[in-house]
Every structure is written in structure tokens, then in C-alpha cells.
Amino acid sequence: MSVRRLAEDQFQPTGFAFNAENSAWAEKTIQKYPAGRQQSAVIPLLMRAQEQDGWVTRACIEKIADMLDMAYIRVLEVATFYTQFQLKPVGTKAHIQVCGTTPCMLRGSEALMDVCRHKIHHDPLTPNESGTLSWEEVECQGACVNAPMVIIFKDAYEDLTPERLEEIIDTFEAGKGDTIKPGPQIDRHLSAPIGGLTTLTEETRPDRSNLDKKEEAAPDAVQTPPSNAARAKTDAPETDPKLKTPATEPKAAEANVKASESENSGKTPK
């Protein structure tokens, strides 16, 4: 387990303040949370502070703690727990995070780290002489199928070779990092197979003949009323309407019985 500490005192600024734009953003972000739950904004505020100054300082931690009415130690715990927060000064033009997890390692991430050691500094998390570039090894960044890869600020650069990483570093050093398109650095679309599709290359149309054909009712078909559609067809006496006279009408029931018997025998009832 690594121990993450704040930068030494000689690197710490005397104070911290959000600029006007970020200050308005911070107040709006805090208001998203219910009363008494404003501490939930600690992570987005820390990240915004890092985006403004490049790293998280002691003064920044204390300022955000005051804004959220938190103890300093609570904000310090958050900042030191998550490795996304840089606790020491990093490169002002590019901080390169090289994935060193198994898929990237098998695909050559060690060679990418050698490039960083050669072009930036031998030690990770140590800026170059001009303070513009720095690098570190990190755990999986979720682009295993495009290994090896690096992340610079919020953008991922994938399918890298040592030569391509050198070009990217030089471009950022020249202040033209925005001219490099993030994502795969080879001829592939996102995470599609290298070299293009090998299956499903022909355009096909689904056979809808059985869906588009309208069924026509037979001309002699007898339409069953909806009210009788679920009723069973039977000639059982229990279903004969002539026998369904209520018990409160004995004379009518007797007449119905005689009518039913006469109908079955073919005689006219008396």
C-alpha cells in the first residue's frame, strides 16, 4: 500500500482562491445538494481546483473544507485516498499517465515508460527541468482492447508505439496538444478490429415478407361476437337458457322444462 502525502512546504503556496468563473461554478455545484449534505460536493470541488492550478495544495484543501463546513482532516482524507488527485506539482503542459496493468504491459507499456524516462524524467511524478512535463504509471484505465495507452489530462491516446508517444510528447511540449486527436493512434475506429471488419461486410436486408403480408379473412367465415368469443360451445342441459329461470319463479321454470322436453321429443307443449 502506497502512502500519499502532501508536497513539501517549499512547494506549497500561501493561499488558494477559485477564479471568478470557478467560484460561481462551485457555488452552483454546492446548491445541488440538500441542506446539510453539502459535503457531497467535496470531490467535484477538489477536481475543479486541480484543473485550475494543476494540483491539489494544502491551501486548496483548507479552502474547500471551509466552503463545505468540513474539518480539514476530512478533506485531506479524500484528497490522499483518490489517486486522481495530484498532491505534488506536475507538468504544466502535460502530465502523462501510462497504464501499466497486464493487458497494456503485454502490449508494450514498459517501452512507453522508457520513453517517458528518457524524454521527461527518470523518476515518475517528477517534472522535467522546465516544469512543463511529468509522468507516472497508473492502474487500468479501461481501454484494454486498445492497449497500450496513456491518458493526458482527460483524453486517452491508444494503440501507441514508442515512436508515436515521442511525437505526442513533443507536440504537447510545443503547446500544440490540442492538434492531436484522442483515441486510437492507428487506422482503426474506436475499438473495432485492426484492419477493418472481417465479418458482416455485406449489406443485408431482413426478410419481412411474412410480416408485410396482410391476412384476409375467408369470405364465408362466421364472425364470433367478442362477448361470446371465449365461451365454450356445448349442448349440455346446464347451458340451455330455457332451464335458467330463477328458482323464485317456479311456474316459469316448470314451463321451461316442459318446453325443453317437448322440443327434444318433437311434440307441441300443452
Side-chain angles (χ1 to χ4, degrees):
M1 178 178 178
S2 63
V3 178
R4 287 165 46 82
R5 304 181 184 277
L6 298 181
E8 291 78 5
D9 291 343
Q10 63 264 29
F11 299 112
Q12 296 289 348
T14 56
F16 170 84
F18 282 115
N19 58 33
E21 179 183 354
N22 288 337
S23 179
W25 177 90
E27 293 298 331
K28 188 175 181 180
T29 299
I30 295 172
Q31 293 173 7
K32 293 180 180 179
Y33 300 93
R37 295 289 187 270
Q38 293 88 348
Q39 295 181 3
S40 298
V42 62
I43 289 180
L45 262 62
L46 283 171
M47 183 56 68
R48 193 74 167 204
Q50 177 169 284
E51 292 175 357
Q52 174 180 297
D53 289 359
W55 60 295
V56 175
T57 65
R58 179 185 290 111
C60 158
I61 291 174
E62 295 174 352
K63 173 65 175 180
I64 291 176
D66 293 337
M67 293 175 65
L68 301 178
D69 194 23
M70 296 175 65
Y72 291 166
I73 186 62
R74 297 305 178 202
V75 183
L76 178 64
E77 289 171 344
V78 174
T80 55
F81 179 81
Y82 293 104
T83 57
Q84 65 183 345
F85 297 122
Q86 303 296 332
L87 304 181
K88 297 180 179 180
V90 295
T92 57
K93 293 184 177 180
H95 178 65
I96 301 170
Q97 296 177 305
V98 185
C99 179
T101 312
T102 305
C104 282
M105 184 65 70
L106 293 174
R107 296 277 292 171
S109 64
E110 188 64 38
L112 301 185
M113 285 184 260
D114 286 339
V115 171
C116 293
R117 295 185 184 100
H118 173 70
K119 294 189 69 68
I120 301 175
H121 196 282
H122 179 272
D123 299 323
L125 293 172
T126 304
N128 58 358
E129 292 183 1
S130 58
T132 56
L133 299 173
S134 59
W135 72 280
E136 67 173 316
E137 179 183 356
V138 296
E139 295 302 317
C140 183
Q141 301 188 98
C144 304
V145 73
N146 298 75
M149 56 86 66
V150 304
I151 283 184
I152 303 177
F153 299 124
K154 292 184 176 181
D155 293 321
Y157 302 87
E158 306 153 1
D159 296 302
L160 290 171
T161 62
E163 295 75 21
R164 179 55 180 158
L165 180 58
E166 288 185 7
E167 295 174 356
I168 292 175
I169 292 175
D170 291 339
T171 304
F172 271 92
E173 175 70 1
K176 300 179 180 179
D178 56 349
T179 62
I180 302 176
K181 183 180 179 181
Q185 301 299 303
I186 60 175
D187 185 19
R188 95 147 93 184
H189 176 67
L190 301 180
S191 298
I194 297 176
L197 296 177
T198 57
T199 60
L200 302 178
T201 56
E202 298 179 359
E203 182 179 359
T204 59
R205 294 176 179 268
D207 183 5
R208 299 180 55 87
S209 58
N210 61 328
L211 300 177
D212 297 336
K213 184 179 179 180
K214 296 182 179 179
E215 297 183 0
E216 297 181 359
D220 298 333
V222 178
Q223 300 294 328
T224 303
S227 59
N228 297 327
R231 294 183 181 178
K233 295 182 179 180
T234 177
D235 56 357
E238 290 81 359
T239 63
D240 191 339
K242 300 184 181 65
L243 303 181
K244 290 188 175 181
T245 306
T248 55
E249 298 290 342
K251 293 183 178 180
E254 184 180 356
N256 282 341
V257 171
K258 291 181 179 180
S260 178
E261 292 175 349
S262 300
E263 183 178 301
N264 293 333
S265 62
K267 297 180 181 181
T268 305
K270 296 180 180 180

